[in-house]
Amino acid sequence: MVKAQKIRESELKQHIGRENEGSSLKAAHVVPDTVKVRRVHSESIEDEAWDLLRDSIVSYCNNPVGTIAANDPSCPSILNYDQVFIRDFVPSGIAFLLKGEYDIVRNFILHTLQLQSWEKTMDCHSPGQGLMPASFKVRIVHLDGDDSATEEVLDPDFGEAAIGRVAPVDSGLWWIILLRAYGKCSGDLTVQERVDVQTGIKMILKLCLADGFDMFPTLLVTDGSCMIDRRIGIHGHPLEIQALFYSALLCAREMLAPEDGSADLIRALNNRLVALSFHIREYYWIDMKKLNEIYRYNTEEYSYDAVNKFNIYPDQIPHWLVEFMPRRGGYLIGNLQPAHMDFRFFSLGNLWSVVSSLATLEQSHAILDLIEAKWAELVAEMPFKICYPALEGQEWRIITGSDPKNTPWSYHNGGSWPTLLWQLTVACIKMNRPEIAENAVRIAERRISKDKWPEYYDTKRARFIGKQARLFQTWSIAGYLVSKLLLANPNAAKILINEEDSELMNAFSCMISANPRRQRGSKGIKKRFII
Ligand code: GLC
């Protein structure tokens, strides 16, 4: 297996080497217009960010293949921050694409694809085929029987070495999203058309679309399967995964080559898109009106036409939410399970629901309205709070298992992450409200470079550099650059955005009108929509 892997790797190396030799892909669909970049006082911050981003590049056999997670010379414990993380590379990749530097992204896509089929086991158990690693490292190994000769190998981590042994469900979804962005930006569609790349897309889809025990169209995952990769009570159906899943399904549908063999997969994908958007838009959405509805819910309804389908007890509405919910605006809750709504606001899930059109147009505007109304809570002194509010006291003890890294208002538990700037920017540009992102960037610029580009900030108002935050964290640097590049050339954000699909919208409105919540008293209509 390992030998076969090595052979495939060396074939790929040769192929990529050849491609890089003559690599000037000029036929761009979305021409990165860096010439027109508005010159503002932050020019030197941008220059510094570019220098740091380039310093973080990891090479494999003399070709750039990714960027290291953090490059903090002051930090004695490296842990796995010297690796290339798939999710962390996305803003780096987008920054390079927007600069017209396509090779590193193509190499990253093709090399991580090779890792997808790697044999992975934890205590004799192998996870599903199609899983993408959380991260990988370039290792130098001695050749068999020859101490003087070495070669480089790529060594992936699928969660079998990661803290908590968490499976990175988001990696494959981000990979698909980046692959589409690469094609759209460079105009080079030959990568997505390759047989091995098409197979890679299908393997990810099959893993995500496989039947299980679930009653919901949302993806069922364990705690810590995404950017928040430690225990914090997001097992089940967390919003972030659902938003990335929806986006990846749409991106994959655009890229899959039509062929008889994939008709079933495309049918399953379309059905899932309809069911998923209906489920999230209907059941995850809260605003003042919906909150008041939940407050007055009847419980224990046994029937097909229950209004309170998930048997949510109104007492679950937390005190903080009564204060937090603005009169104008709303958001998608963090998670929905039987008799359980996680009312916390999770930023990435909400922002990517806007970007991918998982949220309706109205909901997307309402999410941005809420961000504006709750600026002091979500942005304050450094954008952007990863989730709101923090878990405290007994709740923190039970839900995080007394995790000392995730103390209240730190790290994943209400910390502020500069990298989230880029997703905020894409969402604002999509909704034609770039000024919100511009304000956030301005706030970041006050400190981010002086503070040495930390991974995250602590406290309610993000006043301190995170207790255990790495400095020179690459996705903080790249996230800032992507925001700047996109604000200067908003048209380029199209490479990441999924526009609302009219077929989906039709199917969605049919489901809405058949929903018993809106038709109390009428016979529960059971309908299936096959596109
Ligand atoms: C932390 C973050 C994770 C990130 C990794 C590398 O584990 O929680 O999202 O990918 O660091 O930066």
Side-chain angles (χ1 to χ4, degrees), residues 40 42 92 104 110 183 200-201 208 216 231 263 317 326 344 385 389 501 517:
V40 284
S42 67
S92 301
I104 182 167
L110 293 176
I201 301 174
C208 294
F216 306 151
R231 181 177 160 191
I317 297 176
R344 280 176 292 172
K385 205 117 263 160
D501 179 298
R517 192 160 79 80

Side-chain angles (χ1 to χ4, degrees), residues 68-70 80-81 83 85-88 134-135 163 170 226-230 240 386 405 411-412 417 455 470 473-475:
I68 195 175
N80 49 358
Y81 283 86
Q83 307 215 359
F85 278 73
I86 308 300
R87 72 175 75 84
D88 293 40
S135 59
I163 296 165
D170 63 340
C226 50
M227 175 186 183
I228 298 183
D229 53 1
R230 329 161 57 94
E240 176 177 332
I386 196 166
K405 200 165 175 184
Y411 201 45
H412 301 143
W417 292 64
E455 181 186 14
R470 307 286 138 161
Q473 180 81 18
T474 305
W475 68 352

